[in-house]
């Protein structure tokens, strides 16, 4: 088990990511943190800068639910970063994991999520996972080839030694979500 990072280190990473959102994607280099941690930090910021329909929450205390389709290790990193982030708009972030083999069986849990992160460790075709949450207000994020082309909303990409993302505004809008223009402005054009 990895040693917990000192609190100042988590704060520094969060500050670097926020700076990355303000200055643009080129400000977030891979050398600053392992890729899974950077992706997790982006996920927390995507939660901060996305609005879901009010009907997606049972109460004002209901958490944001991030479901990770991928390895235990990736889900643990996302959980650690989400816990360190504290409350976002008065809500905590709850992180769940769904194994690749359980995608069809855990359909309702995935559809009840606010964010679905399909990590490449799941080794699934993007379209197969995206089909499960089609027609819901779930922000879909992935890091595998073709994710945005298959209908995913946000996809992590490497640009040189930097981690950034592409956006699929049409998919975001059709899901009834509102991602801040500040975030979308930082996104690269959708992959061809």
């Amino acid at each position: 088990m990895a040693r917990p990072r000192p609190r100042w280190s988590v704060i520094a990473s969060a500050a670097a990511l926020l700076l990355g959102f303000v200055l643009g994607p080129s400000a977030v280099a891979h050398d600053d943190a392992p890729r899974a941690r950077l992706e997790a930090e982006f996920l927390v910021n995507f939660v901060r800068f996305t609005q879901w329909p009010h009907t997606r929450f049972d109460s004002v205390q209901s958490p944001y639910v991030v479901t990770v389709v991928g390895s235990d290790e990736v889900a643990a990193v996302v959980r650690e970063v989400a816990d360190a982030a504290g409350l976002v708009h008065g809500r905590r972030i709850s992180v769940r994991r769904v194994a690749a083999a359980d995608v069809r069986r855990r359909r309702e849990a995935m559809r009840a999520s606010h964010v679905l992160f399909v990590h490449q460790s799941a080794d699934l075709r993007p379209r197969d996972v995206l089909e499960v949450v089609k027609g819901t207000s779930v922000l879909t994020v992935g890091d595998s080839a073709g994710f945005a082309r298959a209908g995913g909303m946000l996809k992590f990409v490497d640009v040189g030694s930097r981690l950034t993302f592409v956006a699929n505004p049409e998919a975001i809008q059709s899901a009834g979500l509102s991602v801040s223009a500040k975030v979308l402005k930082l996104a690269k054009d959708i992959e061809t």
Side-chain angles (χ1 to χ4, degrees), residues 35 39 69-70 116-130 140-158 163-166 190-192:
R35 183 183 176 103
E39 290 177 341
V69 179
L116 178 66
F117 177 41
V118 184
H119 190 264
Q120 60 190 348
S121 64
D123 198 26
L124 293 169
R125 289 184 350 175
R127 196 170 306 281
D128 293 341
V129 182
L130 294 170
T140 56
V141 183
D143 64 355
S144 60
F147 186 81
R149 278 194 313 269
M153 298 173 194
L154 300 169
K155 179 194 178 288
F156 294 119
V157 294
D158 296 306
L163 179 66
T164 187
F165 58 96
V166 296
I190 192 167
E191 54 192 348
T192 56

Side-chain angles (χ1 to χ4, degrees), residues 130-183:
L130 294 170
E131 191 63 35
V132 172
V133 295
K134 188 175 183 176
T136 64
S137 295
V138 176
L139 182 69
T140 56
V141 183
D143 64 355
S144 60
F147 186 81
R149 278 194 313 269
M153 298 173 194
L154 300 169
K155 179 194 178 288
F156 294 119
V157 294
D158 296 306
V159 176
S161 64
R162 312 274 185 229
L163 179 66
T164 187
F165 58 96
V166 296
N168 184 339
E170 184 178 298
I172 293 168
Q173 185 177 12
S174 69
L177 300 174
S178 176
V179 175
S180 169
K182 293 176 185 178
V183 172

Side-chain angles (χ1 to χ4, degrees), residues 3 6 11 17 24 28-29 41 44 87 97 135 138 143 146 172 177 192:
R3 287 188 323 173
I11 292 169
L17 184 63
V28 182
E41 291 169 351
V44 168
L87 297 179
R97 177 187 174 257
V138 176
D143 64 355
I172 293 168
L177 300 174
T192 56

Side-chain angles (χ1 to χ4, degrees), residues 43-115:
L43 289 172
V44 168
N45 275 310
F46 292 154
V47 169
R48 277 194 180 99
F49 293 100
T50 301
Q51 291 183 340
W52 284 265
H54 294 292
T55 56
R56 295 287 291 156
F57 299 96
D58 293 333
S59 73
V60 294
Q61 290 86 21
S62 297
Y64 293 104
V65 177
V66 176
T67 299
V68 176
V69 179
S71 71
D72 285 327
E73 294 79 12
V74 171
V77 171
V78 173
R79 190 172 294 110
E80 179 184 334
V81 171
D83 289 347
L87 297 179
V88 174
H89 306 299
R91 299 177 190 275
R92 67 183 182 81
I93 300 174
S94 174
V95 178
R96 305 180 201 170
R97 177 187 174 257
V98 171
D102 294 335
V103 166
R104 294 277 179 218
R105 198 172 49 218
R106 302 279 312 272
R107 175 183 170 91
E108 290 310 311
M110 292 168 57
R111 293 174 67 84
S113 302
H114 297 93
V115 178

Side-chain angles (χ1 to χ4, degrees), residues 14-28 42 45 49 165 182-183 185-186:
L17 184 63
L18 183 57
L19 187 60
F21 266 173
V22 172
L23 296 178
S26 64
V28 182
F42 268 102
N45 275 310
F49 293 100
F165 58 96
K182 293 176 185 178
V183 172
K185 184 177 173 182
L186 298 174

